Amino acid sequence: MSTPRPRFSGPLFEEKSAITLAQLRLFVAVADEGSFSSAAAGLGMSQSSLSEGVRALETALGQAVLLRTRSGVSLTPTGLQVIGYARDALLAVQDLQLAANPALTLSGQLTVATYRSIGQQLLAPALGRLHAEHPDLHIRVLDAGRDGQGGQRFVQSGEADVGLIEAPDAAGGLLFEVLLRDPYLVVMRAGQPTPLTWAYLKAQPLLLPPLINPANQPVLEFLRSHQALSRNITEVDEDDVILSMVEYGLGITIFPRLGLAGLRPALVAVAFPEPLERIIGLVIRPGRAALPHVQALAEAVRVQARGSAEPA
């Protein structure tokens, strides 16, 4: 005996008001680009056709999702509520296609969000291993610092397939797999007194990347908690410049161990009086961990992590 199919009613299920994936794709494109003209150019279609598609979505919803202004386009309150669902729907269809054609996933594109130090010492060698096994898989790497949430938003929105990042404060419905613990070290000129004391650290000029960088927050909070935060903090954009300034005696800096490969001979990296570390791992959306290209990258990174530090 066959199971009866569920019957749905209401405006969303009427043929004339059906929401299509094409409409959702146009809506997300305009939201991402901030203008109809840029979105149309990126999609290779006319602006009038794009506007017509978005209007059809708004008709089906019975609500406007985009606010057109002289300065560009912004999301209406309804648009803000539904944009996440639109992204999820598009990503679900993409994943359905990938799951149905697993061979294609290993010859398509995989996007990873990560930080420079993690990318250089952990991701790059893992990608070398991955390329040897799956030479047709194209890798795109995003700077996790650009999304304002340490790479988490890139993964949540589907812009990145995987995040190789520090443990997020709140998982936000994402899966997080711990790979390793990476200690922070104090970098200073060789010949300085060791072991370090909190009083010594507080007295030294401190050279750091711009303080707006979220990666600085654990370090600053740690120093404050031990009353060891210097009153003399200089913000420097480039890591190499920071290390050069330390080499010339202009202060000390603090780096995670993975960021200190090939440290200059005139410099030393010394542990804090008490340990401070960051937890590094893989962040993946639920339901995507089983996709072949995600599995292949995750395994390559796991192997590299085991050789980069003591397992967590």
Side-chain angles (χ1 to χ4, degrees):
M1 182 176 178
S2 61
T3 303
R5 294 183 178 180
R7 297 176 63 85
F8 300 96
S9 61
L12 291 182
F13 302 98
E14 297 174 7
E15 186 65 29
K16 64 179 181 180
S17 300
I19 295 173
T20 69
L21 290 171
Q23 293 166 358
L24 297 180
R25 190 171 290 109
L26 300 182
F27 166 46
V28 170
V30 176
D32 288 344
E33 292 293 337
S35 78
F36 278 84
S37 58
S38 296
L43 293 169
M45 63 189 303
S46 70
Q47 189 170 333
S48 60
S49 296
L50 176 57
S51 297
E52 182 179 345
V54 173
R55 279 197 299 271
L57 173 62
E58 292 177 324
T59 298
L61 291 174
Q63 301 281 342
V65 293
L66 294 171
L67 180 64
R68 298 140 177 94
T69 67
R70 291 181 179 180
S71 59
V73 175
S74 61
L75 294 171
T76 66
T78 298
L80 287 170
Q81 286 185 314
V82 303
I83 186 69
Y85 294 104
R87 294 188 194 280
D88 288 346
L90 295 173
L91 189 61
V93 170
Q94 173 189 312
D95 287 351
L96 183 152
Q97 294 171 325
L98 294 176
N101 300 278
L104 296 180
T105 67
L106 296 173
S107 60
Q109 176 173 287
L110 184 141
T111 303
V112 187
T114 193
Y115 288 104
R116 183 191 63 81
S117 61
I118 301 174
Q120 288 180 337
Q121 303 303 319
L122 191 56
L123 180 61
L127 292 182
R129 182 179 292 107
L130 184 66
H131 179 71
E133 297 177 1
H134 306 288
D136 294 327
L137 182 61
H138 176 66
I139 303 296
R140 177 173 174 242
V141 180
L142 299 178
D143 177 5
R146 288 195 299 105
D147 80 343
Q149 296 181 17
Q152 185 177 352
R153 184 179 63 80
F154 281 148
V155 178
Q156 188 72 62
S157 68
E159 294 174 73
D161 299 291
V162 180
L164 181 56
I165 61 177
E166 298 177 28
D169 293 333
L174 300 174
L175 303 176
F176 182 73
E177 176 187 345
V178 176
L179 293 175
L180 57 85
R181 299 178 184 274
D182 188 27
Y184 284 93
L185 301 172
V186 178
V187 182
M188 55 189 189
R189 294 178 70 183
Q192 302 302 305
T194 56
L196 298 178
T197 65
W198 298 119
Y200 175 83
L201 292 172
K202 185 174 184 178
Q204 305 308 306
L206 182 57
L207 309 171
L208 290 176
L211 297 183
I212 195 174
N213 188 330
N216 283 321
Q217 297 312 306
V219 173
L220 297 174
E221 292 173 8
F222 180 72
L223 292 172
R224 284 194 194 100
S225 70
H226 291 91
Q227 299 182 343
L229 183 60
S230 173
R231 295 181 179 179
N232 183 359
I233 299 178
T234 300
E235 300 176 62
V236 184
D237 281 331
E238 297 293 333
D239 290 351
D240 286 342
V241 176
I242 291 177
L243 294 175
S244 293
M245 292 174 70
V246 174
E247 191 172 7
Y248 280 95
L250 299 177
I252 63 173
T253 190
I254 298 166
F255 273 60
R257 186 185 65 82
L258 284 179
L260 290 173
L263 191 62
R264 306 172 188 197
L267 302 177
V268 294
V270 183
F272 279 108
E274 295 179 16
L276 172 66
E277 61 187 13
R278 60 177 181 170
I279 299 174
I280 295 173
L282 291 167
V283 174
I284 305 171
R285 281 176 61 113
R288 308 205 78 205
L291 294 174
H293 61 329
V294 173
Q295 284 187 325
L297 173 73
E299 183 54 31
V301 172
R302 290 185 192 111
V303 172
Q304 184 60 35
R306 287 194 287 268
S308 297
E310 290 296 323

